[in-house]
Amino acid sequence: MKIATYNLRCGGKAGQRVHWTQIFEVANPDIFLVQETCHPQQYVNSRFWEVHSNQVQWAKVGNNAWGSAVFVRAGLVNKIEVPQFEGNVVGVEVEGFAWSPTRTKKLRVISIHAPAPYKPSVNRILDWLATLSDDADLIIGGDFNLTVGVRHSGEQQQDQDLWLLERLRKEFGLMSCWQAANPNRNLVQTLRWSRDKATPYHCDGIFVPAAWYRYLDKCEVLTSPMWEELSDHNPVIATFSTDTGEVLAHPPLTNFASTSTIDRSEKQ
């Protein structure tokens, strides 16, 4: 199973909205958490939407053309009503998505794009999540606009939001996929802020139940000139295997994706 999260930056440039296409071609995720995305139909062709429209939930932020979305490849996907943060948070509950023989609980999948002021907003979002019933495996991912990992003492950048990691771990039993898969590495850059492109902001992440640690194969941040052209954020991809060590490989969805205008040589 693969989980991806990606902030497209204000929906992407008109005429170059190929972000969903590129994610499906490069990573082929089973679960895709998207922030600052226009309606998904603007990124894929009619065939994709005909086949997968029931697997997608999207909501815009206020009067903006963009918002957040969740795509889940399989299972019955039902939208969770989100008070106060519509479009910044999109949540779904999924029945029948059995990616591992021993993981039979339903899934609750949340895509977050934290609005300012960031810390109070994220705390309120987590307060709301804590009111939901504890009958599902929880996946939270997206752009938190906060540091979603622990920095080593030798890192030049020393922003820390340990309170967030502590809440996710203690209250929800969640771990950071990137840090769990890369325990001895400095936090890699996921955001190239327009006014400070060099600072390695690490605000995009994927959090899953800590019990899934034994299934976690890798978590990577995709980098290339193509990704830098498409957005100021980089996609984060987490890959999980089953109890037998097998990585479930589903047929790619590229046959349903719109034609890309990006040079394929820049993908890797």
Side-chain angles (χ1 to χ4, degrees):
M1 177 179 69
K2 290 186 178 181
I3 304 172
T5 185
Y6 189 23
N7 182 316
L8 312 191
R9 190 182 185 185
C10 299
K13 298 176 182 178
Q16 199 180 60
R17 289 186 174 140
V18 296
H19 307 67
W20 285 61
T21 299
Q22 296 303 318
I23 286 291
F24 288 129
E25 289 187 354
V26 173
N28 194 28
D30 301 283
I31 297 172
F32 186 24
L33 312 175
V34 204
Q35 304 82 47
E36 294 194 45
T37 177
C38 296
H39 194 283
Q41 283 182 283
Q42 296 192 33
Y43 303 87
V44 299
N45 67 19
S46 58
R47 176 59 175 159
F48 179 99
W49 194 247
E50 178 184 338
V51 174
H52 297 289
S53 60
N54 290 334
Q55 306 306 122
V56 180
Q57 289 291 341
W58 173 83
K60 68 177 183 177
V61 178
N63 294 323
N64 294 292
W66 47 263
S68 300
V70 174
F71 164 86
V72 182
R73 181 189 297 265
L76 179 62
V77 177
N78 294 305
K79 184 177 182 180
I80 301 172
E81 294 302 322
V82 179
Q84 302 180 46
F85 292 101
E86 182 78 6
N88 288 111
V89 180
V90 170
V92 301
E93 288 189 350
V94 188
E95 300 273 4
F97 183 81
W99 64 273
S100 170
T102 63
R103 310 306 302 184
T104 57
K105 292 175 70 174
K106 68 181 179 182
L107 290 181
R108 187 170 290 132
V109 185
I110 309 294
S111 175
I112 290 180
H113 180 209
Y118 303 131
K119 182 175 180 179
S121 294
V122 170
N123 267 322
R124 288 166 59 200
I125 292 167
L126 295 182
D127 289 345
W128 163 71
L129 279 172
T131 68
L132 302 180
S133 58
D134 185 21
D135 59 349
D137 282 333
L138 178 62
I139 298 170
I140 304 177
D143 175 8
F144 292 78
N145 278 307
L146 297 164
T147 302
V148 291
V150 179
R151 292 199 182 273
H152 298 147
S153 59
E155 293 186 50
Q156 182 177 358
Q157 183 76 0
Q158 280 298 314
D159 54 320
Q160 299 275 15
D161 290 296
L162 301 182
W163 64 270
L164 171 59
L165 304 177
E166 183 172 348
R167 280 205 72 178
L168 291 170
R169 177 172 57 87
K170 289 188 175 182
E171 294 183 36
F172 301 94
L174 302 182
M175 68 175 183
S176 160
C177 289
W178 193 89
Q179 196 130 58
N182 304 278
N184 298 311
R185 292 183 57 189
N186 292 347
L187 298 183
V188 298
Q189 186 179 47
T190 67
L191 166 66
R192 299 171 308 284
W193 191 36
S194 58
R195 286 180 281 179
D196 185 6
K197 294 185 177 181
T199 300
Y201 294 107
H202 188 89
C203 57
D204 304 88
I206 299 168
F207 291 83
V208 303
W212 292 12
Y213 177 75
R214 61 176 177 157
Y215 305 111
L216 179 62
D217 286 339
K218 62 181 179 179
C219 186
E220 56 191 332
V221 176
L222 302 184
T223 60
S224 76
M226 180 192 73
W227 298 117
E228 292 182 11
E229 179 182 351
L230 289 177
S231 173
D232 56 354
H233 290 257
N234 292 82
V236 181
I237 314 293
T239 303
F240 299 83
S241 60
T242 67
D243 304 82
T244 62
E246 176 188 9
V247 177
L248 295 180
H250 295 286
L253 303 178
T254 53
N255 290 339
F256 304 137
S258 60
T259 302
S260 171
T261 60
I262 300 297
D263 184 351
R264 298 298 197 274
S265 65
E266 294 183 345
K267 280 185 183 178
Q268 303 303 324

Short mmCIF file of all heavy atoms in Angstrom, two decimals, residues 126-161:
data_model
loop_
_atom_site.label_atom_id
_atom_site.label_comp_id
_atom_site.label_asym_id
_atom_site.label_seq_id
_atom_site.Cartn_x
_atom_site.Cartn_y
_atom_site.Cartn_z
N LEU A 126 -7.35 18.81 16.03
CA LEU A 126 -7.12 17.59 16.80
C LEU A 126 -8.17 17.42 17.89
O LEU A 126 -8.58 16.29 18.19
CB LEU A 126 -5.71 17.61 17.39
CG LEU A 126 -4.55 17.58 16.38
CD1 LEU A 126 -3.21 17.56 17.10
CD2 LEU A 126 -4.67 16.38 15.44
N ASP A 127 -8.60 18.53 18.50
CA ASP A 127 -9.69 18.44 19.49
C ASP A 127 -10.94 17.84 18.86
O ASP A 127 -11.62 17.01 19.47
CB ASP A 127 -10.01 19.84 20.04
CG ASP A 127 -8.91 20.39 20.94
OD1 ASP A 127 -8.05 19.62 21.37
OD2 ASP A 127 -8.93 21.62 21.19
N TRP A 128 -11.23 18.28 17.62
CA TRP A 128 -12.40 17.72 16.93
C TRP A 128 -12.20 16.24 16.62
O TRP A 128 -13.11 15.42 16.84
CB TRP A 128 -12.64 18.50 15.63
CG TRP A 128 -13.53 17.77 14.68
CD1 TRP A 128 -14.88 17.56 14.81
CD2 TRP A 128 -13.14 17.11 13.46
NE1 TRP A 128 -15.35 16.81 13.74
CE2 TRP A 128 -14.31 16.53 12.90
CE3 TRP A 128 -11.94 16.99 12.78
CZ2 TRP A 128 -14.28 15.81 11.71
CZ3 TRP A 128 -11.91 16.28 11.59
CH2 TRP A 128 -13.07 15.70 11.07
N LEU A 129 -11.01 15.87 16.13
CA LEU A 129 -10.75 14.46 15.82
C LEU A 129 -10.90 13.58 17.06
O LEU A 129 -11.35 12.43 16.97
CB LEU A 129 -9.34 14.30 15.25
CG LEU A 129 -9.15 14.63 13.77
CD1 LEU A 129 -7.68 14.61 13.41
CD2 LEU A 129 -9.93 13.65 12.90
N ALA A 130 -10.55 14.13 18.21
CA ALA A 130 -10.63 13.36 19.45
C ALA A 130 -12.07 13.05 19.85
O ALA A 130 -12.31 12.15 20.65
CB ALA A 130 -9.92 14.11 20.58
N THR A 131 -13.03 13.78 19.27
CA THR A 131 -14.44 13.52 19.59
C THR A 131 -15.02 12.37 18.76
O THR A 131 -16.11 11.89 19.07
CB THR A 131 -15.29 14.78 19.34
OG1 THR A 131 -15.35 15.07 17.94
CG2 THR A 131 -14.74 15.98 20.10
N LEU A 132 -14.32 11.95 17.71
CA LEU A 132 -14.82 10.87 16.87
C LEU A 132 -14.63 9.53 17.55
O LEU A 132 -13.73 9.33 18.36
CB LEU A 132 -14.10 10.88 15.52
CG LEU A 132 -14.20 12.19 14.71
CD1 LEU A 132 -13.45 12.05 13.39
CD2 LEU A 132 -15.66 12.57 14.46
N SER A 133 -15.46 8.58 17.21
CA SER A 133 -15.39 7.26 17.84
C SER A 133 -14.06 6.57 17.53
O SER A 133 -13.47 6.76 16.46
CB SER A 133 -16.55 6.38 17.36
OG SER A 133 -16.51 6.25 15.94
N ASP A 134 -13.62 5.75 18.47
CA ASP A 134 -12.33 5.06 18.32
C ASP A 134 -12.56 3.67 17.73
O ASP A 134 -12.22 2.65 18.33
CB ASP A 134 -11.65 4.97 19.69
CG ASP A 134 -10.24 4.38 19.59
OD1 ASP A 134 -9.66 4.43 18.49
OD2 ASP A 134 -9.75 3.88 20.62
N ASP A 135 -13.12 3.63 16.53
CA ASP A 135 -13.45 2.34 15.92
C ASP A 135 -12.83 2.20 14.53
O ASP A 135 -13.30 1.41 13.70
CB ASP A 135 -14.96 2.17 15.83
CG ASP A 135 -15.64 3.27 15.01
OD1 ASP A 135 -14.96 4.27 14.68
OD2 ASP A 135 -16.84 3.13 14.71
N ALA A 136 -11.77 2.98 14.26
CA ALA A 136 -11.15 2.95 12.93
C ALA A 136 -9.66 3.20 13.05
O ALA A 136 -9.19 3.86 13.99
CB ALA A 136 -11.79 4.01 12.02
N ASP A 137 -8.90 2.67 12.10
CA ASP A 137 -7.49 3.04 11.97
C ASP A 137 -7.42 4.43 11.36
O ASP A 137 -8.04 4.70 10.33
CB ASP A 137 -6.75 2.04 11.07
CG ASP A 137 -6.42 0.74 11.79
OD1 ASP A 137 -6.27 0.77 13.03
OD2 ASP A 137 -6.30 -0.30 11.11
N LEU A 138 -6.65 5.30 11.99
CA LEU A 138 -6.62 6.71 11.60
C LEU A 138 -5.36 7.03 10.80
O LEU A 138 -4.24 6.67 11.21
CB LEU A 138 -6.67 7.59 12.85
CG LEU A 138 -6.60 9.11 12.65
CD1 LEU A 138 -7.79 9.62 11.84
CD2 LEU A 138 -6.54 9.81 14.02
N ILE A 139 -5.55 7.69 9.67
CA ILE A 139 -4.45 8.22 8.86
C ILE A 139 -4.65 9.72 8.75
O ILE A 139 -5.71 10.19 8.34
CB ILE A 139 -4.44 7.60 7.45
CG1 ILE A 139 -4.22 6.09 7.51
CG2 ILE A 139 -3.37 8.26 6.58
CD1 ILE A 139 -4.44 5.39 6.17
N ILE A 140 -3.63 10.49 9.13
CA ILE A 140 -3.67 11.95 9.01
C ILE A 140 -2.46 12.36 8.19
O ILE A 140 -1.34 11.92 8.44
CB ILE A 140 -3.61 12.65 10.37
CG1 ILE A 140 -4.73 12.17 11.29
CG2 ILE A 140 -3.68 14.16 10.20
CD1 ILE A 140 -4.67 12.78 12.69
N GLY A 141 -2.68 13.22 7.20
CA GLY A 141 -1.56 13.70 6.41
C GLY A 141 -1.87 15.04 5.80
O GLY A 141 -3.02 15.47 5.73
N GLY A 142 -0.80 15.70 5.35
CA GLY A 142 -1.00 16.96 4.67
C GLY A 142 0.05 17.98 5.01
O GLY A 142 1.18 17.65 5.42
N ASP A 143 -0.33 19.25 4.85
CA ASP A 143 0.53 20.40 5.11
C ASP A 143 0.08 21.01 6.43
O ASP A 143 -0.94 21.70 6.49
CB ASP A 143 0.41 21.41 3.96
CG ASP A 143 1.17 22.69 4.22
OD1 ASP A 143 1.93 22.76 5.21
OD2 ASP A 143 1.01 23.64 3.42
N PHE A 144 0.86 20.77 7.49
CA PHE A 144 0.50 21.23 8.82
C PHE A 144 0.95 22.67 9.06
O PHE A 144 0.56 23.28 10.06
CB PHE A 144 1.12 20.32 9.87
CG PHE A 144 0.53 18.93 9.91
CD1 PHE A 144 0.89 17.98 8.97
CD2 PHE A 144 -0.39 18.58 10.89
CE1 PHE A 144 0.35 16.70 9.00
CE2 PHE A 144 -0.93 17.31 10.94
CZ PHE A 144 -0.56 16.36 9.99
N ASN A 145 1.81 23.20 8.20
CA ASN A 145 2.41 24.52 8.41
C ASN A 145 3.13 24.60 9.75
O ASN A 145 3.27 25.68 10.34
CB ASN A 145 1.37 25.63 8.27
CG ASN A 145 1.11 26.00 6.82
OD1 ASN A 145 2.04 26.31 6.08
ND2 ASN A 145 -0.15 25.97 6.41
N LEU A 146 3.56 23.45 10.22
CA LEU A 146 4.33 23.29 11.45
C LEU A 146 5.36 22.19 11.17
O LEU A 146 5.19 21.40 10.24
CB LEU A 146 3.44 22.87 12.62
CG LEU A 146 2.35 23.86 13.05
CD1 LEU A 146 1.31 23.16 13.93
CD2 LEU A 146 2.94 25.06 13.78
N THR A 147 6.40 22.13 11.97
CA THR A 147 7.43 21.11 11.77
C THR A 147 6.91 19.76 12.25
O THR A 147 6.56 19.60 13.42
CB THR A 147 8.72 21.48 12.52
OG1 THR A 147 9.16 22.76 12.07
CG2 THR A 147 9.81 20.46 12.25
N VAL A 148 6.88 18.78 11.34
CA VAL A 148 6.26 17.49 11.65
C VAL A 148 7.31 16.41 11.86
O VAL A 148 7.16 15.27 11.44
CB VAL A 148 5.26 17.08 10.55
CG1 VAL A 148 4.04 17.98 10.58
CG2 VAL A 148 5.91 17.09 9.17
N GLY A 149 8.39 16.78 12.55
CA GLY A 149 9.43 15.83 12.89
C GLY A 149 10.33 16.41 13.96
O GLY A 149 10.28 17.61 14.25
N VAL A 150 11.16 15.55 14.55
CA VAL A 150 12.11 15.98 15.58
C VAL A 150 13.45 16.28 14.91
O VAL A 150 13.99 15.43 14.19
CB VAL A 150 12.30 14.89 16.65
CG1 VAL A 150 13.31 15.33 17.70
CG2 VAL A 150 10.97 14.54 17.30
N ARG A 151 13.97 17.47 15.12
CA ARG A 151 15.25 17.84 14.52
C ARG A 151 16.40 17.42 15.43
O ARG A 151 16.32 17.50 16.66
CB ARG A 151 15.30 19.35 14.28
CG ARG A 151 14.33 19.82 13.21
CD ARG A 151 14.71 21.19 12.68
NE ARG A 151 13.75 21.67 11.69
CZ ARG A 151 13.80 21.40 10.39
NH1 ARG A 151 14.77 20.61 9.94
NH2 ARG A 151 12.91 21.88 9.55
N HIS A 152 17.48 16.96 14.79
CA HIS A 152 18.70 16.66 15.52
C HIS A 152 19.37 17.95 15.97
O HIS A 152 19.20 19.00 15.34
CB HIS A 152 19.66 15.85 14.64
CG HIS A 152 19.10 14.52 14.23
ND1 HIS A 152 19.39 13.93 13.02
CD2 HIS A 152 18.27 13.67 14.87
CE1 HIS A 152 18.77 12.77 12.93
NE2 HIS A 152 18.09 12.59 14.04
N SER A 153 20.17 17.86 17.02
CA SER A 153 20.80 19.06 17.58
C SER A 153 21.77 19.70 16.60
O SER A 153 22.04 20.90 16.67
CB SER A 153 21.53 18.71 18.88
OG SER A 153 22.53 17.72 18.64
N GLY A 154 22.29 18.92 15.65
CA GLY A 154 23.25 19.46 14.71
C GLY A 154 22.64 20.12 13.48
O GLY A 154 23.38 20.66 12.64
N GLU A 155 21.33 20.10 13.35
CA GLU A 155 20.70 20.71 12.19
C GLU A 155 20.73 22.22 12.29
O GLU A 155 20.51 22.79 13.36
CB GLU A 155 19.25 20.22 12.05
CG GLU A 155 19.11 18.75 11.72
CD GLU A 155 17.68 18.34 11.45
OE1 GLU A 155 17.03 19.03 10.64
OE2 GLU A 155 17.22 17.35 12.04
N GLN A 156 21.00 22.86 11.17
CA GLN A 156 21.03 24.32 11.15
C GLN A 156 19.68 24.91 11.48
O GLN A 156 19.55 25.88 12.23
CB GLN A 156 21.51 24.83 9.78
CG GLN A 156 21.62 26.34 9.69
CD GLN A 156 22.16 26.80 8.34
OE1 GLN A 156 22.47 25.98 7.48
NE2 GLN A 156 22.26 28.10 8.16
N GLN A 157 18.63 24.32 10.92
CA GLN A 157 17.27 24.75 11.22
C GLN A 157 16.83 24.08 12.50
O GLN A 157 16.92 22.85 12.65
CB GLN A 157 16.34 24.37 10.07
CG GLN A 157 14.91 24.82 10.23
CD GLN A 157 14.73 26.29 9.97
OE1 GLN A 157 15.69 26.98 9.65
NE2 GLN A 157 13.51 26.79 10.08
N GLN A 158 16.33 24.85 13.48
CA GLN A 158 15.98 24.28 14.77
C GLN A 158 14.55 24.56 15.19
O GLN A 158 14.23 24.60 16.37
CB GLN A 158 16.96 24.79 15.84
CG GLN A 158 18.29 24.06 15.86
CD GLN A 158 18.14 22.58 16.20
OE1 GLN A 158 17.44 22.20 17.12
NE2 GLN A 158 18.80 21.73 15.41
N ASP A 159 13.66 24.80 14.23
CA ASP A 159 12.25 24.95 14.58
C ASP A 159 11.72 23.62 15.09
O ASP A 159 11.99 22.57 14.52
CB ASP A 159 11.44 25.44 13.38
CG ASP A 159 11.62 24.56 12.15
OD1 ASP A 159 12.76 24.12 11.90
OD2 ASP A 159 10.63 24.30 11.45
N GLN A 160 10.98 23.66 16.17
CA GLN A 160 10.46 22.44 16.78
C GLN A 160 9.00 22.64 17.15
O GLN A 160 8.62 23.69 17.68
CB GLN A 160 11.25 22.09 18.05
CG GLN A 160 12.73 21.84 17.83
CD GLN A 160 13.03 20.40 17.42
OE1 GLN A 160 12.14 19.65 17.04
NE2 GLN A 160 14.28 20.01 17.52
N ASP A 161 8.19 21.65 16.85
CA ASP A 161 6.80 21.63 17.28
C ASP A 161 6.52 20.30 17.95
O ASP A 161 5.67 19.51 17.52
CB ASP A 161 5.86 21.87 16.08
CG ASP A 161 5.96 23.30 15.56
OD1 ASP A 161 5.61 24.21 16.32
OD2 ASP A 161 6.39 23.48 14.41
#
